[in-house]
Amino acid sequence: MALLETDAPSDVPSTQPSNEPSAKPSLRPSSSPTVSTSPSLQPTTSLSPSAVPSVNPSISFVPTSSAQPSTDPSATPSSSPSSLPSASPTVSTSPTFNPTRRPTNRPTNKPTNKPTPKPVSLPSSFRLRLHWEKGDFWQDEPWERWFCMACAHCSNVFDENCDVVNYCQENMMLALTECRPNQWTNAARFSMLPGNNQFNLEGDQLKVANSNLCLSLVSARKLILETCNASKIEQRFTGFRSVGEGAMEIAPAKVSKKDGVVIERCLTQHHHPRPGERIYSEICKLARVADTNLWATY
């Protein structure tokens, strides 16, 4: 049978819908439908609030390394130091620095402010007797001896035998004379002039009673009688004690030095005593050996 011209397919789409729908779909499905017996997403089983973030924060606490230090502080502190220590700590059982042998600042020889000395209580006048005690063996004699200070004429400082007199004058020296109790004696009587702070000098003056003559140091050893002058350190002596406080080691207040070293001196005639021996300022350790370094009021 011959086809009609209208039955042939056309290259131009029609502008009108067809009167009858097509019996079959124009396209086949691309795949089989998805069949699932479980939900597509698992339900939330956590008991914590849903506001908790599902992932960790993006801020990292691991410190960053940089060749140059930052000039501003970081927003959050680092949990560990930015760099390891350069070396292990030093472990030692001894001090790092040895102590110095001497103190850095030497202590002063004397206090800045002199302490107030204890007042000395002595009779208004007294003799000064060379102290003797049991055990002293002067001139190989074990019994007690009595020697006191007296005014004397001595030719020079090295004269050991002076002429003792019963009066005192300026420039005279002092020497030993016998002064046993209840016997006449040429021994001089003295009084002590207490020192004061007027001249800021240490020590007291030893004055011949009923005169204006004081014992004075005129060289390292030599002692003479001079007009009393409280401003002279050469007329000051230390070591006086009150009655009942024991024997006295009387020493010049003026310090004696040799090659920068202080030499301790005290009043004595040095060796085992004899009448007429001159009193002078001797090195104390020599007088102590002979037990002639101490005096007592009498």
Side-chain angles (χ1 to χ4, degrees):
M1 183 178 66
L3 294 175
L4 296 177
E5 184 178 356
T6 56
D7 292 336
S10 172
D11 294 330
V12 178
S14 63
T15 58
Q16 297 295 327
S18 62
N19 292 331
E20 294 180 1
S22 60
K24 296 180 179 180
S26 59
L27 296 174
R28 294 182 179 180
S30 60
S31 62
S32 301
T34 302
V35 178
S36 175
T37 58
S38 61
S40 59
L41 296 175
Q42 296 291 335
T44 302
T45 59
S46 175
L47 298 178
S48 59
S50 60
V52 177
S54 58
V55 295
N56 294 329
S58 60
I59 299 175
S60 173
F61 289 95
V62 179
T64 59
S65 59
S66 173
Q68 297 296 329
S70 60
T71 57
D72 297 325
S74 59
T76 56
S78 59
S79 58
S80 59
S82 58
S83 61
L84 296 175
S86 57
S88 301
T90 303
V91 179
S92 176
T93 56
S94 58
T96 306
F97 299 101
N98 292 327
T100 57
R101 294 183 178 179
R102 296 181 179 180
T104 305
N105 296 321
R106 292 186 177 181
T108 56
N109 294 328
K110 296 182 179 180
T112 305
N113 297 319
K114 292 182 179 180
T116 304
K118 180 182 177 181
V120 176
S121 176
L122 290 175
S124 57
S125 69
F126 51 85
R127 295 185 179 97
L128 279 175
R129 176 201 175 194
L130 195 61
H131 176 69
W132 181 95
E133 61 185 33
K134 189 174 182 180
D136 290 342
F137 208 63
W138 294 339
Q139 304 299 341
D140 297 327
E141 297 173 345
W143 52 80
E144 185 174 8
R145 302 296 301 269
W146 292 75
F147 294 102
C148 294
M149 288 187 185
C151 296
H153 292 286
C154 303
S155 59
N156 58 64
V157 69
F158 299 106
D159 192 351
E160 296 298 335
N161 294 302
C162 304
D163 295 327
V164 176
V165 295
N166 60 357
Y167 60 89
C168 298
Q169 293 178 340
E170 192 168 6
N171 294 322
M172 276 188 175
M173 298 182 186
L174 297 179
L176 290 183
T177 189
E178 291 187 295
C179 57
R180 186 174 296 276
N182 303 319
Q183 293 185 4
W184 186 88
T185 178
N186 284 325
R189 299 191 71 88
F190 299 92
S191 61
M192 189 197 71
L193 300 180
N196 53 55
N197 294 328
Q198 179 181 359
F199 300 103
N200 195 30
L201 295 176
E202 185 180 8
D204 308 297
Q205 291 174 281
L206 184 63
K207 174 178 172 291
V208 176
N210 301 318
S211 75
N212 192 32
L213 297 176
C214 288
L215 190 63
S216 183
L217 183 72
V218 293
S219 67
R221 300 182 65 190
K222 187 177 180 180
L223 296 164
I224 65 171
L225 296 176
E226 291 185 330
T227 301
C228 295
N229 185 343
S231 66
K232 294 184 66 173
I233 186 64
E234 291 82 5
Q235 290 188 9
R236 298 296 185 100
F237 296 88
T238 63
F240 291 103
R241 292 184 176 182
S242 299
V243 174
E245 292 186 350
M248 306 174 293
E249 190 173 73
I250 303 174
K254 185 177 181 180
V255 176
S256 177
K257 292 184 178 181
K258 183 177 181 179
D259 298 329
V261 179
V262 175
I263 300 175
E264 190 180 17
R265 292 183 175 273
C266 54
L267 272 56
T268 183
Q269 46 60 246
H270 174 47
H271 196 54
H272 293 181
R274 295 177 183 272
E277 290 183 337
R278 181 178 54 86
I279 306 300
Y280 59 95
S281 173
E282 177 60 287
I283 298 173
C284 290
K285 66 180 181 180
L286 298 178
R288 290 167 188 160
V289 171
D291 298 318
T292 57
N293 60 306
L294 298 176
W295 299 87
T297 56
Y298 161 57

